[in-house]
Amino acid sequence: MRFDVITLFPELFAPFLEAGITRRAYAGGQIDLKLWNPRDYAEGNYRRVDDRPFGGGPGMVMMAEPLARCLAAVRAARADAPDGQAPVVLFSPVGQALRHAAVEGWAASRGAILVCGRYEGIDQRFIDAHVDMQISLGDFVLSGGEIAALALLDAVARLQPGVLGDAGSHQADSFNRALDGLLDCPHYTRPEEWAGQRAPAELLSGHHAQIERWRREQRLRLTARHRPDLITAARAAGRLAFEDEAYLRGLSGL
């Protein structure tokens, strides 16, 4: 798959491509990442890409024309690529919140053209003419879309075959369908006792069925406490067994 990123700061992506386990997705060619700077498509000696907003107000607004020219170059480059054309995605507070199900969809897709805004935003005419989808990471504002793009790329990269050391690692992640959309359970490692706290006896028992039941109950407990909406969704989808419901009824203080 191929992702093209339109950004005024392509240098922010270099460390991401060279460090961590997700670099395998790029080194191995599973994800082809191209970076495009709209300043290269701006006119004038100063390659200006922003201007003051009509109506006044603080800050600057990214101009539509340099972005449109940059996007045209991206589409031309993708025309002869194996993955062909792809949707144009803008990271914006008005977008839908990014969820694991959407990440799974992107991980199996042909990729996308990711637009990273800056300053006070992007001229709405470019958005109306060219953007197919808007995505948000949550109810907060970043300095630009680059961090959001990196978050999406990281989430997609770790789902590619062979990227994680254990092929089944991501199936035990929070929100995964293999866990019925619940949060993951707590994890422990050596030593068995640290700072006066011992690892749970169930995990040291060697009894696989007991271990799995403990993990399931911890997932239910954490999810019910911190994300009850996920319990509601799992229940509506018929993913909770009789013993799950019995355990949830026995929880106190939730």
Side-chain angles (χ1 to χ4, degrees):
M1 74 184 65
R2 170 172 169 165
F3 284 91
D4 293 86
V5 181
I6 296 177
T7 170
L8 290 172
F9 298 96
E11 62 272 18
L12 294 178
F13 291 80
F16 173 78
L17 300 177
E18 300 168 358
I21 59 173
T22 53
R23 74 183 186 282
R24 299 171 183 168
Y26 305 97
Q30 291 161 290
I31 297 179
D32 184 16
L33 183 64
K34 306 293 185 184
L35 303 172
W36 304 78
N37 193 333
R39 200 175 299 279
D40 296 334
Y41 300 87
E43 296 180 328
N45 294 333
Y46 296 102
R47 299 288 184 180
R48 189 169 185 175
V49 295
D50 63 315
D51 208 335
R52 295 188 179 279
F54 287 135
M60 306 290 279
V61 175
M62 292 186 72
M63 301 164 66
E65 187 60 24
L67 287 169
R69 290 177 179 173
C70 185
L71 178 59
V74 173
R75 284 175 166 160
R78 289 190 69 111
D80 298 325
D83 290 312
Q85 298 305 322
V88 178
V89 177
L90 173 67
F91 297 101
S92 163
V94 308
Q96 293 185 343
L98 185 62
R99 303 294 188 213
H100 183 73
V103 170
E104 289 182 318
W106 287 116
S109 74
R110 295 185 299 174
I113 301 171
L114 309 179
V115 181
C116 301
R118 278 275 162 175
Y119 313 124
E120 289 299 309
I122 291 175
D123 190 312
Q124 185 64 38
R125 291 169 292 188
F126 173 84
I127 299 173
D128 293 341
H130 297 294
V131 171
D132 299 305
M133 179 185 306
Q134 298 189 58
I135 293 177
S136 171
L137 292 189
D139 295 342
F140 57 95
V141 178
L142 296 167
S143 298
E146 286 78 12
I147 291 177
L150 287 168
L152 174 61
L153 290 168
D154 182 84
V156 168
R158 66 189 309 278
L159 295 184
Q160 301 307 306
V163 170
L164 299 182
D166 186 335
S169 291
H170 68 82
Q171 295 180 0
D173 287 340
S174 296
F175 314 116
N176 197 286
R177 284 177 292 180
L179 297 186
D180 296 325
L182 305 176
L183 299 178
D184 196 8
C185 63
H187 297 278
Y188 299 84
T189 188
R190 294 180 178 81
E192 293 183 10
E193 182 174 339
W194 177 80
Q197 302 179 74
R198 289 190 57 80
E202 292 86 348
L203 297 180
L204 304 175
S205 67
H207 192 290
H208 294 297
Q210 185 177 353
I211 291 171
E212 287 308 309
R213 188 59 211 169
W214 180 88
R215 287 175 171 165
R216 178 69 174 185
E217 290 177 350
Q218 294 303 304
R219 291 169 184 139
L220 291 166
R221 180 181 64 82
L222 286 176
T223 306
R225 174 172 295 172
H226 299 289
R227 289 293 303 274
D229 58 304
L230 298 179
I231 292 289
T232 301
R235 183 175 285 131
R239 297 171 181 163
L240 300 185
F242 175 81
E243 55 267 30
D244 294 334
E245 295 286 9
Y247 176 77
L248 288 170
R249 287 193 297 271
L251 292 176
S252 60
L254 295 178

